[in-house]
């Protein structure tokens, strides 16, 4: 599900991918890219370094149902540190420490290769062939070009740390001094929301679609599309705290890094949190601008006052209509996606948005009617309607409860969790500040009562 505020893509270390050596199309336009042959992944130690469960995605993204893992190869084959040395007399713990540091170094090298590839095989040919304008390419690629020297700098520092025996002693001070450079990611990641929207829009043009399809089918792409490459910096950013934690686990108490690694970890976690916050704010602003109000009464001040999105994505109403729903910091907005005259996506606000502080949330048991019409009548041949919930707001005129259906149980639970969090935090905020001019103060007490009812219902359901 595309949950928001903390959304950096989950990435995995040491994924196996067959090395690529040649391009089978677009020759003459794209500069050949050399891919060095790499050895197989180290077995036992590499498997023990797993960061999957700790990853925290960065910027917000639409809720979507879980999908099967892609069969496409995502990363090159990687060698481990022990493949690079003929012999050593290190302990198992120190070997693992060297493996993690080597993985950090190799990850920098691979990211540099990928970002350079994006510039050579996507940006430059599309500009040369007038597939997109320079302005459009600037919006889509953002400041990606400036990230290459930044990571080349870290790679050079790490390589200089390797001694004659190819081991690295103290790595903490190097990382501590370099991490502040990652503040450049704020600009890049904040641009990605608009970049993704423009890229999706341009894909409808035949020349763009044809070029991108040829690139993805070519061997140099490893079957990744352009957006996969553009999203790699975000994926890399979230790895740094995870790698540092692994290095810490393998660092002896008397090692010089024991003093500096905690400070380095605190520094990178602070930067990731800052990038996360700014990206969430940028996404919120982007989607607020895309809302098209059909009535002036729909312009709730809570929408404009919201600083971030909890989540957004597709849900169905009890008539079977597909809606794009936004759960902003302070308001719930239902909309119908459409296109403007330029082919860009806009969202026509559907019915009346609701302040989160006044929401009443109710889970609908599987098979029950959705209220105000039924889900069962909306879906032919579906005797048992599942994954539904209802939101309502008491005391508001011309308002009917919204019965909504998620794609699956996982998506439903994501929505329920985000809605409960939004309700609690909005009511806390409303209790500490003046109420909106659109809000009936008498409803605040009823809102508190409805939240208590929601909680009791959830507890009863879980039992």
């Amino acid at each position: 599900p595309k949950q928001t505020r903390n959304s950096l893509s989950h990435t995995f270390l040491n994924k196996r991918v067959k090395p690529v050596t040649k391009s089978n199309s677009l020759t003459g336009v794209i500069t050949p890219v050399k891919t060095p042959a790499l050895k197989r992944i180290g077995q036992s130690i590499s498997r023990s370094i797993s960061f999957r469960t700790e990853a925290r995605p960065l910027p917000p993204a639409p809720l979507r149902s879980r999908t099967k893992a892609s069969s496409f190869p995502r990363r090159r084959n990687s060698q481990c540190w022990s493949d690079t040395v003929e012999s050593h007399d290190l302990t198992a713990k120190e070997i693992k420490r060297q493996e993690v540091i080597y993985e950090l170094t190799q990850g920098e090298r691979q990211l540099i290769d990928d970002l350079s590839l994006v510039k050579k095989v996507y940006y430059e040919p599309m500009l040369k062939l007038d597939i997109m304008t320079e302005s459009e390419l600037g919006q889509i690629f953002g400041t990606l070009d400036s990230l290459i020297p930044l990571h080349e700098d870290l790679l050079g520092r790490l390589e200089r740390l390797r001694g004659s025996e190819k081991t690295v002693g103290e790595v903490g001070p190097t990382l501590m001094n370099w991490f502040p450079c990652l503040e450049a990611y704020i600009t890049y990641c904040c641009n990605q929301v608009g970049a993704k929207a423009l890229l999706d829009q341009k894909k409808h043009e035949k020349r763009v679609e044809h070029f991108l399809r040829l690139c993805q089918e070519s061997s140099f792409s490893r079957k990744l599309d352009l957006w996969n490459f553009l999203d790699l910096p975000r994926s890399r950013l979230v790895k740094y705290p995870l790698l540092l934690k692994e290095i810490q686990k393998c660092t002896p108490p008397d090692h010089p890094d024991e003093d500096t690694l905690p400070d380095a970890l605190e520094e990178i976690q602070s930067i990731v949190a800052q990038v996360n916050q700014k990206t969430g704010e940028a996404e919120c602003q982007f989607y607020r601008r895309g809302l098209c109000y059909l009535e002036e009464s729909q312009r709730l001040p809570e929408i404009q006052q919201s600083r971030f999105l909890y989540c957004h994505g597709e849900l169905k109403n009890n008539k079977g209509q597909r809606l794009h729903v936004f759960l902003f910091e302070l308001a719930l907005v239902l909309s119908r996606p459409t296109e403007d005259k330029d082919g860009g996506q806009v969202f026509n606000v559907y019915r009346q948005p609701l302040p989160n502080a006044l929401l009443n949330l109710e889970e609908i048991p599987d098979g029950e009617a959705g209220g105000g019409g039924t889900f069962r009548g909306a879906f032919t041949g579906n005797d048992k309607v599942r994954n539904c919930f209802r939101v309502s707001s008491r005391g508001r005129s011309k308002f009917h409860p919204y019965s909504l259906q998620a794609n699956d149980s996982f998506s439903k639970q994501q929505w329920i969790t985000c809605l409960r969090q939004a309700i609690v935090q909005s009511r806390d905020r409303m209790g500490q500040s003046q109420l909106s001019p659109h809000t009936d103060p008498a409803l605040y007490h009823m809102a508190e009562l409805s939240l208590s009812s929601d909680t009791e219902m959830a507890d009863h359901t879980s039992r």
Side-chain angles (χ1 to χ4, degrees):
K2 190 162 182 177
Q3 201 170 353
T4 90
R5 265 185 104 180
N6 300 316
S7 249
L8 269 184
S9 306
H10 289 277
T11 53
F12 309 94
L13 296 179
N14 297 334
K15 275 203 171 181
R16 304 184 184 191
V17 176
K18 295 180 179 179
V20 179
T21 57
K22 64 179 182 178
S23 166
N24 56 20
S25 62
L26 301 176
T27 54
V29 176
I30 298 173
T31 304
V33 179
K34 298 180 180 179
T35 305
L38 299 177
K39 297 182 181 178
R40 62 177 178 79
I41 304 175
Q43 296 293 325
S44 58
I45 293 178
S46 295
R47 278 200 299 264
S48 69
I49 305 173
S50 174
F51 305 121
R52 182 173 182 174
T53 58
E54 296 185 62
R56 292 290 183 273
L58 237 196
L63 280 160
R64 56 179 180 269
S65 57
R66 289 178 292 181
T67 55
K68 294 182 180 178
S70 172
S71 59
F72 286 165
R74 295 297 184 192
R75 298 297 299 169
R76 307 174 185 85
N77 280 336
S78 300
Q79 62 181 174
C80 56
W81 173 81
S82 54
D83 291 332
T84 68
V85 294
E86 296 182 359
S87 63
H88 56 76
D89 56 356
L90 303 178
T91 64
K93 191 172 185 178
E94 179 58 29
I95 293 173
K96 186 173 180 180
R97 174 182 155 86
Q98 294 300 322
E99 294 289 1
V100 182
I101 295 174
Y102 189 75
E103 170 62 23
L104 171 64
T105 305
Q106 287 295 93
E108 292 301 304
R109 180 174 287 106
Q110 291 177 356
L111 180 63
I112 293 166
D113 289 344
D114 285 335
L115 298 186
S116 300
L117 180 144
V118 169
K119 181 180 178 181
K120 291 181 180 179
V121 306
Y122 287 100
Y123 182 91
E124 292 176 358
M126 283 194 285
L127 181 62
K128 181 178 180 180
L129 298 174
D130 291 325
I131 294 175
M132 290 192 207
T133 66
E134 186 173 3
S135 175
E136 290 170 337
L137 291 171
Q139 292 179 58
I140 291 172
F141 288 82
T143 58
L144 181 140
D145 198 33
S146 68
L147 301 182
I148 297 175
L150 187 154
H151 289 279
E152 287 176 335
D153 178 38
L154 177 59
L155 177 60
R157 297 189 192 197
L158 293 174
E159 289 181 331
R160 287 192 293 272
L161 292 178
R162 298 188 74 184
S164 58
E165 297 182 358
K166 298 185 178 180
T167 58
V168 174
E170 194 175 3
V171 72
T174 297
L175 296 176
M176 184 70 185
N177 292 332
W178 181 81
F179 279 149
C181 299
L182 290 173
E183 291 182 358
Y185 270 64
I186 294 176
T187 302
Y188 181 78
C189 291
C190 286
N191 179 71
Q192 281 196 298
V193 182
K196 181 67 163 62
L198 178 58
L199 179 60
D200 289 343
Q201 177 184 337
K202 297 298 292 184
K203 284 179 179 178
H204 293 295
E205 297 181 11
K206 188 173 181 180
R207 290 188 71 208
V208 175
E209 187 278 333
H210 180 67
F211 178 86
L212 295 179
R213 178 166 48 82
L214 287 177
C215 286
Q216 188 170 358
E217 291 173 355
S218 299
S219 56
F220 60 75
S221 73
R222 309 195 307 279
K223 297 189 177 180
L224 298 172
D225 64 20
L226 174 57
W227 185 251
N228 291 138
F229 283 108
L230 294 176
D231 205 40
L232 286 175
R234 285 199 313 155
S235 301
R236 185 62 184 169
L237 181 63
V238 77
K239 277 188 180 180
Y240 291 119
L242 309 177
L243 286 163
L244 256 66
K245 288 178 182 178
E246 286 299 313
I247 295 174
Q248 272 190 301
K249 290 178 184 178
C250 309
T251 300
D254 57 346
H255 195 284
D257 269 344
E258 188 67 15
D259 295 329
T260 54
L261 284 177
D263 293 337
L265 180 59
E266 183 179 351
E267 175 74 15
I268 186 58
Q269 288 175 331
S270 174
I271 292 172
V272 170
Q274 187 179 4
V275 173
N276 188 29
Q277 177 187 345
K278 295 298 183 182
T279 305
E281 292 173 359
E283 183 184 42
C284 182
Q285 294 171 10
F286 176 83
Y287 284 113
R288 278 207 314 254
R289 291 195 300 267
L291 295 177
C292 181
Y293 299 96
L294 305 182
E295 298 178 12
E296 192 62 28
S297 62
Q298 294 175 327
R299 295 180 180 272
L300 291 186
E302 286 86 352
I303 298 174
Q304 294 304 315
Q305 293 167 7
S306 293
R307 298 165 297 174
F308 61 86
L309 278 160
Y310 284 100
C311 60
H312 65 98
E314 183 182 283
L315 294 172
K316 292 180 182 178
N317 63 11
N318 59 353
K319 296 179 182 179
Q321 298 170 328
R322 297 180 183 273
L323 304 174
H324 197 99
V325 181
F326 297 92
L327 181 56
F328 289 97
E329 178 189 15
L330 301 175
L332 179 69
V333 180
L334 281 64
S335 71
R336 287 173 170 164
T338 184
E339 292 184 354
D340 59 21
K341 60 181 181 180
D342 299 320
Q345 191 173 44
V346 294
F347 302 89
N348 291 329
V349 176
Y350 175 74
R351 295 191 177 178
Q352 183 65 25
L354 305 176
N356 292 344
L358 300 180
L359 283 180
N360 181 21
L361 172 64
E362 177 188 355
E363 290 194 56
I364 301 176
D366 289 347
E368 182 181 315
T374 65
F375 283 102
R376 191 173 300 166
F379 302 101
T380 306
N382 191 357
D383 294 331
K384 290 187 178 181
V385 177
R386 301 179 181 275
N387 310 316
C388 303
F389 59 92
R390 184 183 294 117
V391 289
S392 59
S393 181
R394 297 180 183 180
R396 300 183 70 84
S397 60
K398 300 180 181 180
F399 173 76
H400 300 285
Y402 300 146
S403 297
L404 302 168
Q405 182 183 37
N407 291 329
D408 54 34
S409 59
F410 182 79
S411 180
K412 173 187 174 180
Q413 193 54 51
Q414 290 280 94
W415 277 103
I416 295 294
T417 300
C418 289
L419 280 163
R420 284 180 178 152
Q421 183 181 3
I423 291 170
V424 170
Q425 294 186 359
S426 293
R427 290 173 188 174
D428 287 344
R429 174 180 171 131
M430 190 165 73
Q432 298 169 5
S433 61
Q434 293 182 348
L435 298 179
S436 159
H438 291 247
T439 303
D440 181 357
L443 294 177
Y444 180 61
H445 180 62
M446 287 191 287
E448 288 182 310
L449 293 177
S450 69
L451 178 59
S452 299
S453 175
D454 295 342
T455 305
E456 291 172 3
M457 182 181 301
D459 291 342
H460 177 73
T461 302
S462 64
R463 287 197 295 267

